[in-house]
């Protein structure tokens, strides 16, 4: 029986493209499909592909009842999608325009990031709003009866224009 070391099986030639080289030692030849689709799928199509849905467990609440908020982002395409965002916090929620139910600006760095979705992926997030707005560090104010708009979306300046936000209204009485 001939040993493999005595044969020419381990020789590599730089001229032959079908002979594995040192870079192929791991044996994996995978494609980063998220990067590929980001490079070749137009921005308009990427932003139209992602759907955003925000919902609450009820439409009407008694004062003091917690509001359960469910946010879902969905990529129905058979290719991965990657969206650029304006912040490392890739999505946001707000009550009547107050991000995270707070009147205090959040200390999040203003640097771009990406929100990535695998093909057909759904991302679900839940938040609970205790019917209060933060007005100062450690100080919260209970909201009164009325109608409130809860909004969620991707953290981009053009999110509303590109359909990357959704909103629902609730009533407290």
């Amino acid at each position: 029986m001939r040993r493999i070391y005595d044969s020419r099986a381990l020789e590599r030639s730089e001229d032959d493209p079908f002979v594995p080289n040192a870079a192929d030692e791991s044996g994996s030849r995978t494609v980063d499909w998220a990067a590929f689709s980001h490079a070749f799928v137009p921005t308009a199509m990427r932003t139209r592909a992602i759907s955003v849905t925000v919902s609450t467990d009820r439409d009407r609440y008694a004062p003091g009842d917690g509001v359960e908020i469910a946010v879902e982002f969905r990529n129905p395409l058979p290719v991965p999608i990657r969206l650029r965002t304006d912040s490392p916090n890739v999505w946001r929620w707000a009550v009547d325009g107050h991000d995270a139910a707070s009147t205090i600006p959040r200390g999040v760095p203003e640097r771009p990031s990406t929100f990535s979705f695998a093909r057909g992926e759904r991302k679900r997030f839940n938040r609970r709003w205790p019917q209060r707005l933060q007005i100062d560090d450690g100080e919260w104010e209970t909201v009164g009866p009325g109608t409130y708009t809860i909004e969620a979306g991707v953290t981009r300046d053009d999110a509303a224009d590109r359909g990357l936000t959704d909103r629902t209204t609730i009533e407290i009485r």
Side-chain angles (χ1 to χ4, degrees):
M1 182 165 162
R2 189 172 165 191
R3 290 185 176 177
I4 194 165
Y5 301 109
D6 296 336
S7 73
R8 297 182 46 153
L10 296 179
E11 287 184 21
R12 294 198 170 109
S13 171
E14 298 297 324
D15 299 331
D16 189 358
F18 299 105
V19 173
N21 59 24
D24 293 334
E25 287 293 321
S26 67
S28 66
R29 293 184 183 192
T30 60
V31 174
D32 183 354
W33 288 107
F36 179 82
S37 69
H38 186 75
F40 291 102
V41 177
T43 302
M45 183 180 279
R46 286 195 311 264
T47 56
R48 269 189 245 131
I50 303 301
S51 64
V52 182
T53 307
V54 62
S55 60
T56 57
D57 56 335
R58 299 189 316 252
D59 293 333
R60 293 187 181 100
Y61 294 87
D65 287 350
V67 179
E68 299 296 329
I69 303 167
V71 180
E72 180 179 281
F73 298 90
R74 182 172 178 261
N75 171 22
L77 295 182
V79 296
I81 296 293
R82 184 183 297 169
L83 297 175
R84 291 188 194 276
T85 63
D86 296 337
S87 167
N89 289 348
V90 295
W91 71 278
R92 58 178 273 288
W93 68 279
V95 176
D96 280 353
H98 301 291
D99 279 346
S102 176
T103 60
I104 301 170
R106 298 178 79 184
V108 178
E110 291 186 24
R111 68 172 189 267
S113 186
T114 57
F115 199 9
S116 299
F117 296 85
R119 56 187 184 168
E121 182 179 17
R122 290 176 191 234
K123 295 182 186 239
R124 294 183 180 126
F125 304 95
N126 294 307
R127 296 293 183 263
R128 187 170 194 278
W129 180 48
Q131 295 187 15
R132 296 182 292 168
L133 293 176
Q134 185 176 15
I135 56 172
D136 201 5
D137 288 335
E139 188 176 344
W140 294 79
E141 183 178 278
T142 303
V143 298
T147 302
Y148 296 89
T149 302
I150 298 173
E151 180 180 4
V154 177
T155 308
R156 292 174 57 124
D157 288 336
D158 63 350
D161 297 335
R162 294 194 177 263
L164 295 171
T165 62
D166 189 31
R167 62 181 55 180
T168 187
T169 57
I170 62 162
E171 185 179 0
I172 300 173
R173 56 177 163 147

